[in-house]
Amino acid sequence: MSGFLRIGFVPEHFSTPLHFAQKHYALPDSLVPFPSGTGHMVQALRAGEIDVGVGLTEGWVAALGKAQASKNPSPSDAGFKVVGTYVETPLCWAISTGVKRELSSVKELYGRRIGVSRIGSGSYVMGFVLADQQGWLDPSSSPQPFEVVPLNTFERLREGVNNSTADFFMWEHFTSKRYYDNESIKRIGEIYTPWSSWKIVARTPLLSSPELQNFLESVNKGIRYFEANQEEAVKYISTELDYSEKDARDWLKTVRFAQNVTGVDKGVIEKTVEVLSKAGVLGSGVEVESMIGVERSEAVKWI
């Protein structure tokens, strides 16, 4: 195996340390953007199109749990595992509708159409977490709390709620905020993940490879640079990405990246499985151990 890895990532503000790792530390790996998010990266991992993914905790765990249920390719291997923790803080999902739509509160969303990027993506999974929090999930009843409408991209989600293809959608707060400010969409609520928000996964054959360990250390360097050079981060986010300078500065006050990205806390995965099972995204009998490729401990344990 060569030292070259293909790294899937979402080209948003959270990717800034990856950009710095590539720019300032000559990260040799290829960064492959996935604007439609974690669900698309799951497909790419399974197709062998990327080797590593940096995405949302709930998207990875939902995909791993569903693979276990289908026993494909095997009960204990979905083709990839969680190997790292990228962001320690939870994610704020803004809940949006069309700017001229009459919807004005979360309580009006029951039975409506939710726009999602893909089935199994974070925007899909968090819809069911919202439904659980609102008491809309009835295990004894078959109807779903809303109709799911896959629309692939953030742009199409915004279009969808304005042309009534969907009634609402959920996306990260600061990525959505520019479109509230220019009155393209309307905010009607928010929900926070009950877990740390971003994890790193890798294809199973790479788990013990030096290439993966080198990549994780490069991310650590990128994070350290990010923390020491906040003004450069603000300039990059506000000129190269779709954010205002004020929103970039506000976001910096809310986010905390991992000091060492290698490994994942088993308790975080257990909590995620617990909430997703309660929300009806996952069934019973999910094996947390088989989802983890590298577990955090006093000395990192490579499984």
Side-chain angles (χ1 to χ4, degrees):
M1 181 184 298
S2 70
F4 181 82
L5 298 178
R6 298 159 298 171
I7 311 300
F9 76 105
V10 183
E12 296 175 350
H13 45 328
F14 285 95
S15 68
T16 305
L18 298 176
H19 165 74
F20 286 160
Q22 189 173 60
K23 178 180 179 180
H24 297 292
Y25 299 101
L27 176 68
D29 304 300
S30 173
L31 295 178
V32 183
F34 285 81
S36 54
T38 307
H40 192 186
M41 279 189 277
V42 168
Q43 295 176 359
L45 281 161
R46 288 176 172 162
E49 297 168 354
I50 58 174
D51 303 300
V52 175
V54 183
L56 296 176
T57 304
E58 55 271 22
W60 299 136
V61 173
L64 288 162
K66 287 182 179 296
Q68 287 182 18
S70 68
K71 295 181 171 49
N72 181 25
S74 75
S76 60
D77 184 8
F80 65 90
K81 295 191 180 188
V82 187
V83 298
T85 301
Y86 185 55
V87 177
E88 301 282 10
T89 41
L91 191 73
C92 178
W93 287 85
I95 306 168
S96 305
T97 189
V99 68
K100 295 182 178 180
R101 304 293 293 276
E102 294 182 357
L103 293 169
S104 60
S105 73
V106 171
K107 296 188 182 300
E108 299 174 63
L109 300 180
Y110 180 75
R112 300 281 187 164
R113 290 163 299 176
I114 179 174
V116 304
S117 56
R118 278 174 168 75
I119 301 297
S121 67
S123 58
Y124 170 87
V125 169
M126 287 305 297
F128 288 90
V129 176
L130 176 70
D132 179 57
Q133 289 187 3
Q134 295 294 318
W136 297 339
L137 294 176
D138 182 358
S140 64
S141 177
S142 58
Q144 296 292 328
F146 30 62
E147 178 185 345
V148 176
V149 183
L151 293 172
N152 295 311
T153 66
F154 182 39
E155 180 181 8
R156 289 190 61 192
L157 287 166
R158 300 194 308 272
E159 293 171 352
V161 293
N162 281 303
N163 64 24
S164 298
T165 301
D167 296 309
F168 72 102
F169 72 90
M170 305 169 68
W171 209 258
E172 193 271 335
H173 164 73
F174 284 102
T175 310
S176 305
K177 187 176 180 299
R178 172 185 289 264
Y179 301 94
Y180 300 139
D181 293 344
N182 68 19
E183 298 185 346
S184 298
I185 53 176
K186 180 173 66 175
R187 180 187 176 95
I188 54 176
E190 66 182 31
I191 180 175
Y192 281 84
T193 58
W195 43 71
S196 56
S197 53
W198 292 75
K199 299 290 179 289
I200 302 170
V201 302
R203 291 196 301 116
T204 307
L206 295 169
L207 293 183
S208 299
S209 69
E211 290 88 354
L212 177 60
Q213 296 182 46
N214 290 339
F215 166 72
L216 295 172
E217 183 50 41
S218 293
V219 178
N220 286 335
K221 292 177 181 178
I223 289 172
R224 288 193 288 270
Y225 187 93
F226 167 87
E227 292 176 341
N229 297 272
Q230 298 276 278
E231 287 304 312
E232 186 177 345
V234 169
K235 182 178 180 181
Y236 171 73
I237 294 167
S238 60
T239 58
E240 300 297 325
L241 302 175
D242 196 17
Y243 305 87
S244 69
E245 180 177 330
K246 181 182 184 304
D247 287 348
R249 293 187 187 281
D250 288 345
W251 170 70
L252 288 174
K253 300 172 186 175
T254 70
V255 67
R256 179 166 53 88
F257 287 87
Q259 292 302 298
N260 180 2
V261 300
T262 301
V264 62
D265 293 318
K266 182 180 177 183
V268 172
I269 304 301
E270 289 174 336
K271 173 67 173 178
T272 309
V273 167
E274 176 188 347
V275 174
L276 296 188
S277 296
K278 183 182 179 186
V281 175
L282 294 177
S284 59
V286 174
E287 298 176 10
V288 170
E289 291 280 357
S290 68
M291 296 182 175
I292 299 173
V294 186
E295 186 175 356
R296 268 184 175 174
S297 60
E298 292 184 4
V300 172
K301 178 182 178 185
W302 292 81
I303 297 175

